[in-house]
Amino acid sequence: MNRSKIKALRHPKAGTPTAQYPYRDEKGEVVLLANRFDRAGGRKSFLPYTVATQSWTAPDTRPLYRLPELLAAKPDSLVIITEGEKCADALASLGYITTTTFGGANAAHKTDLSPVQGHRAIIWPDNDEAGRKYADQIATALSTGFSTSVHVLQVADFPVQIMEFYKQSGADQKLANIQENPVQICKGWDAADAISNGWGVAEIDALIASALNIDENPVLSGEPAPISNQADIDVWKTPDGEAYATLRLDGHFEHWPIASATFKKFLSYQHYQSTEKMLPQSALDDQRRTYEGQALFGGEEYPVFNRIGALGRTLYLDLGGTDWKAVAINAEGWQVIDHPPARFTRAKSMQALPLPASNGGDINLLRPFLNTGNEADFQMLVAWLIGCFHPKGPYPILILNGEQGSAKSTTARVLRNLIDPANPIARSAPNSEQDLVIAAKHNHVLAFDNLSTIKPMMADAFCRIATGGGFGTRKLHTDADEILFSATRPCLLNGIPDLAGRPDLADRAIVVSLPVIPPTERAFEGEFNKALDAAMPRILAGLLDAVSAALGNLSSVRLSERPRMADFAKWVSAAEPALGWAEGAFLTAYTANRDSGDRATVESNPVGLSILKLVQDEVRWSGTMTELKTTLRNRYPLLTDDAYTFPRQENKLSAAIRRIIPPLRRMGVEISFARQGQSGERILRLERA
């Protein structure tokens, strides 16, 4: 159920909800909505809505609130169970793992509590009789049914505990404030009220420490505690000055940005495992900043990679699994290794690649899973895949177009899953260059699905990201510091219309038009995915064989011509022997694809098409830009009537012509600019070669 449908819900009698709290299953899908309705006199009521039945009732078996976050947490992490979704969200905003049940004390038994098993559970009830009843029921169910250790916060003791905490931690100002204006813990007072009263992580940590009986005096030290030796931590920095930590965990190495929330949570977890005490927020921040300083001013410098990295003459492919294995590829072949020397970072969206088959690869097994109309198109898709392994780029932009029912999205999914699988596999169009560059920071392949058009600004951004580009912006919470993002990435775009209308974008693109699949030949998705999963290890092995061949043959390749993206063309040509292609087969297919792209670019560009028609009619023409504009508008009114696509100002028309010159030249139209006479009047000359 998408967000727009959730917001549009309206009860036939109660009307529009004041607030909505989605309950999700383990896959993240909304299955139940808790809808809050505020009434006159400060009263409130909750009405459930079950998505599966589309009814204003609650299911008999209900998931815990914020279930995906709970399932993603460490198995032995602490979980706070509140009485109500608002309280759970308030505590979660401070970084705690929280949950609750729908229906309060009277319906707690209808909720599946099994995901809490193995965690340390803290129950924070509302300050009333119903809250105490709720806490008792949850505590009994967890301790008897799931053998889970449960501690209930005693809300009535909070004022004394907080005052003791401020005394021991030396927070004199806060102690004076609370003595002068004591917190009124009235009936119904809850966790959301505590946070609105100004309590933060330090205060809540102190309450939790008291409930867990960690110490006779339940106060957390304000001094940073030493890190235990549960995990080896090596700090270093990237050439761009970003601080990283390498940790040895469960026999493998992981590389995390020190500024990330993951590293911060790890420090907190490791401290608790060592001392059985929770580290205050201020001490945790001090500890993290210490590591950051050590990395930036005392750490070694190493490059960091995303999915594919190169060190010397060897390429490394991060398989993305929990064991952090990778594939090492060189001119002699490839092998799966446990501890790659290349340092990889991972985004949350990254998914694992299959283990490549060791008994022989075959790229031709990919054919049944790609909807191509001819052999040249299949070669172009394989070439793009091999190009994604280039250690530095540039990378051509792959554009898939075709009618509805031509399997554009499926083809894009298959291609990306062989290089850089992620969830989601493809995104909607980026709104700005900043969005594009940030996506490039966390993905090796940038895939965008179902585009209807590419704005000129974003076309320029795609060109920069394909050949190497960056973005700079002010760093948050600073006045003068700048943060820089730079990346070169393969891009994959698909849509129904021709997306390569901009000449500079088309010049960097491989455009493949997919044929419509007849209804009788469409595959069932389940059967398709099952067959693809079975073939993926050998297909990936075939790709790796081709990349190894490219590394071995690259220095000996001599191109008969050097097209745009010549490094890419040389790289794929070097891989031809491992693909079973004849020498020069790729360059022939690539040239044909570019010729087809040139025609499509000119035909979709009114300025280019009208100039092409003019030289076809007259062979050669010369004159000023004003005269050219008048000539084209008089002769080809259907092409030039739209002021948006055919500029009215001479300077803008000149700029549009300069952008379309490369494809026109390859189509046999020579365009030159010159000045004549004492006034230096600019003359444009057009001639059919």
Side-chain angles (χ1 to χ4, degrees), residues 164-185:
E164 285 296 314
F165 171 66
Y166 287 153
K167 286 179 183 178
Q168 296 295 329
S169 60
D172 296 332
Q173 184 63 45
K174 288 190 174 182
L175 179 61
N177 289 339
I178 200 171
Q179 287 174 333
E180 189 172 295
N181 302 294
V183 175
Q184 298 298 320
I185 299 185

Side-chain angles (χ1 to χ4, degrees), residues 510-592:
I510 292 174
V511 181
V512 176
S513 297
L514 305 183
V516 176
I517 301 175
T520 56
E521 297 180 14
R522 292 174 186 163
F524 292 104
E525 187 170 356
E527 296 175 356
F528 180 91
N529 292 336
K530 185 177 180 180
L532 178 62
D533 290 342
M536 282 278 276
R538 291 192 63 194
I539 296 172
L540 179 57
L543 276 177
L544 298 176
D545 291 340
V547 173
S548 175
L551 289 168
N553 300 329
L554 189 63
S555 60
S556 61
V557 170
R558 298 291 182 270
L559 299 181
S560 58
E561 60 176 286
R562 296 185 181 182
R564 185 67 184 270
M565 313 293 282
D567 291 283
F568 160 73
K570 185 177 181 180
W571 175 256
V572 179
S573 295
E576 284 180 334
L579 298 169
W581 298 352
E583 183 178 352
F586 162 71
L587 204 57
T588 299
Y590 188 41
T591 302

Side-chain angles (χ1 to χ4, degrees), residues 1-10 20 33:
M1 188 173 189
N2 60 38
R3 190 173 300 175
S4 60
K5 288 184 178 180
I6 290 175
K7 289 184 177 181
L9 275 181
R10 180 180 175 85
Q20 295 175 300
L33 279 171

Side-chain angles (χ1 to χ4, degrees), residues 79-81 113 116-124 134-154 211-213:
V79 177
I80 302 178
I81 303 173
L113 299 175
V116 182
Q117 187 172 18
H119 292 273
R120 292 168 296 129
I122 292 284
I123 301 177
W124 187 329
Y134 177 80
D136 289 342
Q137 286 193 358
I138 297 294
T140 301
L142 287 174
S143 59
T144 59
F146 301 99
S147 301
T148 298
S149 176
V150 184
H151 301 269
V152 179
L153 296 183
Q154 302 301 320
L212 294 175
N213 294 318

Side-chain angles (χ1 to χ4, degrees), residues 13-234:
K13 293 183 179 180
T16 302
T18 308
Q20 295 175 300
Y21 302 95
Y23 283 71
R24 303 177 185 274
D25 60 18
E26 64 273 11
K27 297 179 181 179
E29 299 293 332
V30 178
V31 295
L32 168 67
L33 279 171
N35 300 276
R36 172 174 170 164
F37 298 87
D38 291 336
R39 309 299 185 192
R43 294 181 298 109
K44 63 182 180 182
S45 62
F46 285 83
L47 292 175
Y49 181 87
T50 301
V51 174
T53 60
Q54 298 185 17
S55 61
W56 290 89
T57 58
D60 291 334
T61 302
R62 306 161 189 180
L64 284 164
Y65 188 57
R66 304 183 68 91
L67 178 61
E69 291 89 338
L70 176 58
L71 294 176
K74 294 284 187 180
D76 58 348
S77 58
L78 186 141
V79 177
I80 302 178
I81 303 173
T82 65
E83 187 187 358
E85 299 85 358
K86 180 181 178 182
C87 296
D89 287 344
L91 289 169
S93 69
L94 297 180
Y96 295 100
I97 303 299
T98 62
T99 189
T100 190
T101 63
F102 179 80
N106 295 325
H109 64 283
K110 295 185 178 182
T111 298
D112 178 14
L113 299 175
S114 61
V116 182
Q117 187 172 18
H119 292 273
R120 292 168 296 129
I122 292 284
I123 301 177
W124 187 329
D126 292 359
N127 187 39
D128 52 26
E129 184 59 31
R132 286 184 284 274
K133 179 181 176 183
Y134 177 80
D136 289 342
Q137 286 193 358
I138 297 294
T140 301
L142 287 174
S143 59
T144 59
F146 301 99
S147 301
T148 298
S149 176
V150 184
H151 301 269
V152 179
L153 296 183
Q154 302 301 320
V155 179
D157 296 338
F158 282 4
V160 175
Q161 293 169 355
I162 293 299
M163 288 184 68
E164 285 296 314
F165 171 66
Y166 287 153
K167 286 179 183 178
Q168 296 295 329
S169 60
D172 296 332
Q173 184 63 45
K174 288 190 174 182
L175 179 61
N177 289 339
I178 200 171
Q179 287 174 333
E180 189 172 295
N181 302 294
V183 175
Q184 298 298 320
I185 299 185
C186 57
K187 182 179 179 180
W189 192 89
D190 57 23
D193 294 324
I195 294 172
S196 66
N197 289 149
W199 292 8
V201 172
E203 289 83 358
I204 295 170
D205 281 353
L207 299 176
I208 293 172
S210 177
L212 294 175
N213 294 318
I214 290 175
D215 204 326
E216 184 176 327
N217 186 352
V219 177
L220 301 177
S221 170
E223 297 297 323
I227 287 290
S228 71
N229 293 323
Q230 291 178 351
D232 298 327
I233 300 179
D234 174 38

Side-chain angles (χ1 to χ4, degrees), residues 453-467:
T453 186
I454 299 177
K455 298 177 181 178
M457 176 186 70
M458 291 312 303
D460 294 339
F462 278 119
C463 291
R464 282 191 289 271
I465 211 76
T467 55

Side-chain angles (χ1 to χ4, degrees), residues 236-244 292 295-297 301-302 475:
W236 49 281
K237 61 186 175 185
T238 69
D240 294 331
E242 188 173 3
Y244 268 82
E292 188 171 34
L296 294 177
F297 300 103
E301 184 176 294
Y302 300 99
K475 189 175 182 180

Side-chain angles (χ1 to χ4, degrees), residues 349 384 388 396-400 408-430 435-436 439-451 454 462 465 489-495 499:
S349 60
W384 180 82
C388 290
I397 302 166
L398 178 60
I399 299 178
L400 304 176
K408 298 183 296 298
S409 297
T410 300
T411 301
R413 172 172 61 86
V414 171
L415 294 172
R416 182 170 186 182
N417 278 343
L418 282 165
I419 304 293
D420 186 26
N423 184 22
I425 197 70
R427 304 168 179 235
S428 56
D435 293 342
L436 184 65
K441 186 175 176 64
H442 299 288
N443 299 269
H444 179 65
V445 174
L446 305 183
F448 299 97
D449 186 44
N450 199 26
L451 304 185
I454 299 177
F462 278 119
I465 211 76
R489 295 287 186 266
C491 297
L492 198 169
L493 318 175
N494 81 72
L499 299 174

